[in-house]
Amino acid sequence: MKKSNPSQSMVNQSIFDIFSDETISGVAYKNKALKRAIINHLDQTGNTTITDLAAALNISVPKTTSLINELIGDGLVKDQGKVDSKGGRRASLYGLVAESAFFMGVDVKHYYVNIGLLDFKKNLVTSEMHVPYQLANTQESFDQLIKIIQDFISNLPAATRNILAICMNLSGRVNSENGYSYSFFHFHEEPLSTTIEQITGIRTYLENDSRAMAYGEFHRGIVRDEKNVLFVNLDYGIGLGIMINGQIYRGKSGFAGEFGHIPLFTNEIICHCGKKGCLETEASGQALIRLFREKIAQGSSSSLLQHDKLPDPLHLSSIIAATRNEDVLCIELIAGIGEKIGRGISVLINIFNPELVILGGILSETDEYIRLPIRSALNKYSLSLVNNDTQLVMSRLQEKAGVIGGCLIARDKLLSFP
Amino acid sequence: MKKSNPSQSMVNQSIFDIFSDETISGVAYKNKALKRAIINHLDQTGNTTITDLAAALNISVPKTTSLINELIGDGLVKDQGKVDSKGGRRASLYGLVAESAFFMGVDVKHYYVNIGLLDFKKNLVTSEMHVPYQLANTQESFDQLIKIIQDFISNLPAATRNILAICMNLSGRVNSENGYSYSFFHFHEEPLSTTIEQITGIRTYLENDSRAMAYGEFHRGIVRDEKNVLFVNLDYGIGLGIMINGQIYRGKSGFAGEFGHIPLFTNEIICHCGKKGCLETEASGQALIRLFREKIAQGSSSSLLQHDKLPDPLHLSSIIAATRNEDVLCIELIAGIGEKIGRGISVLINIFNPELVILGGILSETDEYIRLPIRSALNKYSLSLVNNDTQLVMSRLQEKAGVIGGCLIARDKLLSFP
DNA sequence: TGAGTTAAATAAAATAATTTAAAAACTATT
DNA sequence: AATAGTTTTTAAATTATTTTATTTAACTCA
């Protein structure tokens, strides 16, 4: 798992040193562990004084001072000014150096890519949203994606170009432990992450799109102190990102969260997974488009009709826009879908008793049009004692959840943060 | 959270000292933390040499030696003999002292109580199974339960009587963090655990029955290296114990795992939870009894009929016994129930992608009669890629899962083991 | 059986960390 | 504006821990 980038700066080298897991002798090992703990603590709590750091990590002030000085020498920490005093000498605040490392998130959607860059202090430095792209399981589509990534990097100002890691979010089945993607770009023996690493020269991780969005929302979005959170990604399919005890839950092979394919209905619609009765067959964006077409064929009217014809292809975003413009048919259909999603989520609530359920993904942009039917389905279908515990909220990062989550995963995986 | 038992031995006192979380100064704190780490390590891996311990915990051999000697002085660790040498001086093995502390598990079922005692080394010292008892949500029933506990303790030989903690398993909604039970014995303002503590003088924890069984099965049962495991408790109701990353998952208020009440059917049967369509209405022991009665009323025959009449009350155990004796009606009904449970479990598999699903509880005693229909329902309803990851096995501890799990929870909570 | 080998346990030396004390920097008060 | 009161920072002294070296114990094989 070791990988050093000799071409890169001294700062990077010290990051790799501190976070490598080579076995070294007692004292040196402990110092490295302490440095890691300090970086971790600074990451969690922001700028901190030496006294606080010493108390938090149970090490003495002189020891803390010497470690901090080493980290300053490494270029990873710097003096960030003085604390406001309440009587007594003002303490120096120490914090991470934002520009000492950068991390990249690539959020691959059906018809576009969102791509962004995060610094060491978790600020989103740049992001390019909606870069046109057509996702398909072909070599051409993969090459196109690589080109988008490379263009993004080469357009970056020199100061932000030492990128330590990339995380790419893909829909479908992704094993983020070994870097295999099963639904897309599974062309070689080696894991997809390795292929990308070899092309870009940058350490690469893969993650399922819904999990990455959940992670972003968890760390930089709507979540405050909650530790058990579910993120429901309402898009063409239905995804689920599970955060348990503050960490992503992936299951044995990274296939956890296949919420869209739980057998909740007794219909005859064949899902693209091959089974019948999946939640997705009746409650996804895909289903919404199907239902919409059916209604139109039956003679219903909608603002989306132009000279009695529907745009082709009919994008989900059009239906969402129409809903927000109070198109009656769309509103009705969204309500119907919401009630079914709610029934699905009530299963989750009974099983997880979560603190928070976040509605994200493109369908969540219909806001209350979808939240209210979901909420009332929850009251109908889940145990009230359990349900009362659970808040149902809309995503705060919206379309940026994936990029930010991806960047954070790249960062936290590389630095082996919990 | 501190509680000292002045009446008890010096050994106990040192356990409380080592595991108390009072804030003490640097060196003393670190020594205490190291002692805790040593006990933890000995607990996980069994008897260990000083050299191995030093390597595992990254402390020097002399330091380890002095800590071990302190622990021996505390009566918590002892020399357990020498290791088999492969050339060279034979190392001393050190391990926990089994009789230095005891922990009690009380598994409360509908018509009986199982009760057991575990020593510091996780051996089940004694257990009394099937102590007759009638669970009801009344003060009398509670008093009766307390009497069973007190009788059990007073019948214990003197050497095993210093019990540090009790864990009581109750069905229904239990918050094991604060000790409240909502389904049973919720008579006072204070948590039920406190009430029991005051009566018995022993630190008491509560746990949901299915979770306790899952914990027992996880640590002393069928589970080997798996870390994400689901335990399905098939009894009068359907319970679920969720082990994630080797730890019990309880949800926000301890209500996680309400698997029996997921809305999987569109029937009109009112569940005892007040909702319609719950899994329990068609796939639980309760449902089995109902279906059995219906079949008999419709004229079906069964070996359980005596002079054309059914025993009253008709216990689940009778139906299970009949199934094992190849009663055709019972076998058919179990198969039907199994298929529905399987549909429920396939929801869990899609969501959790677990390594292992364990079937436990009294219904699991029908073995292959229930396992096979469940297995084939899983193939039918869950995604094959995800499903292939998951092993479906029967409980190994069977009826002892609850007691052993309870004892272990008492122990691990008191010692704040992970 | 005893020399040679291996590894654990212990002792001594060296290093490292904590503790205590003192100095420096700042606030509030008289 | 001087000074008492706080709190951080640095320095010195003390205590702890690790390293290294030595001794002890057990095994192997001629």
Side-chain angles (χ1 to χ4, degrees), chain B residues 75-88:
Chain B
L76 299 177
V77 167
K78 71 174 181 195
D79 190 322
Q80 311 267 11
K82 300 247 183 275
V83 76
D84 290 346
S85 162
K86 49 261 167 255

Side-chain angles (χ1 to χ4, degrees), chain A residues 24-26 29-30 57-60 173 182 228-229 240 242-245 247 249-259 261-266 273 275-276 278 343 346-355 378-386 388-390, chain B residues 24-26 29-30 57-60 173 182 228-229 240 242-245 247 249-259 261-266 273 275-276 278 343 346-355 378-386 388-390:
Chain A
I24 46 172
S25 78
Y29 170 85
K30 283 178 187 171
L57 304 181
N58 275 294
I59 42 180
S60 69
R173 260 125 268 159
Y182 296 92
N228 301 310
V229 173
L240 175 66
I242 302 169
M243 301 289 305
I244 284 184
N245 208 5
Q247 293 182 259
Y249 175 74
R250 298 182 172 96
K252 183 185 176 191
S253 319
F255 301 152
E258 284 296 348
F259 178 50
H261 302 287
I262 63 174
L264 217 56
F265 298 100
T266 42
C273 76
K275 309 259 174 193
K276 285 190 268 187
C278 293
R343 198 169 139 218
S346 72
V347 171
L348 298 179
I349 288 182
N350 278 334
I351 291 174
F352 283 101
N353 179 216
E355 295 159 274
L378 292 188
N379 295 332
K380 189 168 158 196
Y381 291 115
S382 69
L383 293 176
S384 49
L385 191 63
V386 184
N388 288 340
D389 266 6
T390 305
Chain B
I24 46 174
S25 78
Y29 170 86
K30 281 177 189 173
L57 304 181
N58 274 296
I59 43 180
S60 68
R173 260 123 267 161
Y182 296 92
N228 301 311
V229 173
L240 176 65
I242 304 169
M243 301 289 305
I244 284 183
N245 207 4
Q247 293 182 259
Y249 175 75
R250 297 184 171 93
K252 182 183 177 193
S253 319
F255 300 153
E258 284 297 346
F259 177 49
H261 301 286
I262 62 173
L264 217 56
F265 298 99
T266 42
C273 77
K275 308 259 173 194
K276 285 190 269 187
C278 294
R343 197 168 143 218
S346 71
V347 170
L348 298 179
I349 288 182
N350 278 335
I351 291 173
F352 283 102
N353 179 216
E355 295 159 273
L378 293 188
N379 295 333
K380 188 169 160 196
Y381 292 116
S382 67
L383 294 176
S384 49
L385 191 61
V386 183
N388 289 339
D389 266 5
T390 305

